[in-house]
Amino acid sequence: MHQIDVHLEKDIYEANNRLADANAAHLREHGVRAFDLLGAIGSGKTALIERLVPLIRERGLRVGAIAGDVYGDDDFRRIVALGIPAYNANTGKECHLDAHLVEHALEHLPLDEIDILFIENVGNMVCPTDFRLGAEKRIVVVSSTEGDDVVNKHPMMFRGGNIGVINKIDLAPFVGANIERMESDIRRYNPEMKVFRTNLKAGVGLEGLLDAILG
């Protein structure tokens, strides 16, 4: 039988939330709008950043990013190749970013040269849910290749999010995924969530999504 120290867990979340609030205030002081990207490995979080950066630049805004991974710098290198300031946040054994890691990452970024900051969380559908980072919106990315039951298996991530992205819609027929079911499940768990369907390889579905992010 598992015994859980509820008070300790509560203290951890409260401490994280205080730091998240401090991060949010720090970002506001520098005029930075931050967005937390959540989703599984391979869902398309990094690809979304790659596609959005040129569109954001066209609107006269400057972009930065934090790449969160357990280990390695694969996503970080892809982001740096975009020519934007970025920081690689490795979590070691932890399966999520937390507010303290983001606080540390912000110390390494030129915030006065950034208008929009993407925080790409660790590829995990469970762990990041309870840890606020200081972002103003949470964007949850899923792909058709994860199966059309992926939303129903991870409802908490969608209940706490603001924008939902169903990616790889072009592959849905090949993997037998029902996109309508995925969107219906998102709306069932979070009726207020704005949902967008994308094919990031081809750049499909981005303009409306960017409007929702920046709106």
Side-chain angles (χ1 to χ4, degrees):
M1 181 176 178
H2 294 290
Q3 292 185 349
I4 300 173
D5 190 329
V6 177
H7 294 292
L8 178 59
E9 185 175 278
K10 182 173 181 288
D11 289 344
I12 290 171
Y13 290 145
E14 287 181 351
N16 183 82
N17 287 339
R18 286 194 296 271
L19 279 175
D21 290 339
N23 287 344
H26 185 50
L27 290 164
R28 283 194 301 270
E29 289 172 2
H30 290 271
V32 179
R33 300 184 65 189
F35 303 96
D36 186 10
L37 296 179
L38 289 77
I41 294 173
S43 60
K45 299 185 299 298
T46 308
L48 182 59
I49 294 173
E50 290 174 321
R51 283 292 185 178
L52 289 180
V53 166
L55 297 178
I56 294 171
R57 280 174 168 159
E58 288 176 5
R59 301 191 184 196
L61 298 171
R62 303 162 299 175
V63 189
I66 296 170
D69 267 312
V70 173
Y71 181 79
D73 63 353
D74 298 83
D75 293 342
F76 173 71
R77 284 187 281 109
R78 288 171 60 184
I79 291 169
V80 168
L82 300 170
I84 65 173
Y87 181 78
N88 191 40
N90 284 151
T91 64
K93 296 181 180 180
E94 297 299 327
C95 54
H96 60 86
L97 290 175
D98 59 30
H100 176 68
L101 284 168
V102 170
E103 177 189 37
H104 178 67
L106 295 179
E107 295 172 353
H108 295 268
L109 290 172
L111 296 182
D112 290 329
E113 301 172 16
I114 296 172
D115 302 304
I116 305 297
L117 177 67
F118 288 114
I119 305 172
E120 182 182 347
N121 218 309
V122 174
N124 189 293
M125 294 288 285
V126 179
C127 298
T129 304
D130 294 324
F131 290 85
R132 292 174 47 231
L133 306 178
E136 67 173 72
K137 291 179 184 176
R138 274 186 162 182
I139 304 163
V140 184
V141 184
V142 292
S143 67
S144 66
T145 53
E146 296 170 68
D148 54 19
D149 56 358
V150 64
V151 177
N152 199 46
K153 289 180 176 179
H154 302 90
M156 295 308 296
M157 184 159 284
F158 293 89
R159 284 175 175 150
N162 305 100
I163 296 172
V165 178
I166 303 173
N167 188 32
K168 304 183 184 180
I169 56 172
D170 55 310
L171 298 181
F174 301 101
V175 296
N178 184 336
I179 301 297
E180 296 296 334
R181 184 212 165 157
M182 296 175 76
E183 182 164 343
S184 175
D185 283 346
I186 291 174
R187 298 194 186 284
R188 179 157 53 92
Y189 289 118
N190 188 344
E192 304 301 318
M193 177 176 267
K194 297 179 180 180
V195 183
F196 297 88
R197 303 180 184 189
T198 62
N199 169 3
L200 293 175
K201 283 289 186 182
V204 173
L206 291 169
E207 288 291 348
L209 171 59
L210 182 55
D211 288 339
I213 292 172
L214 300 181

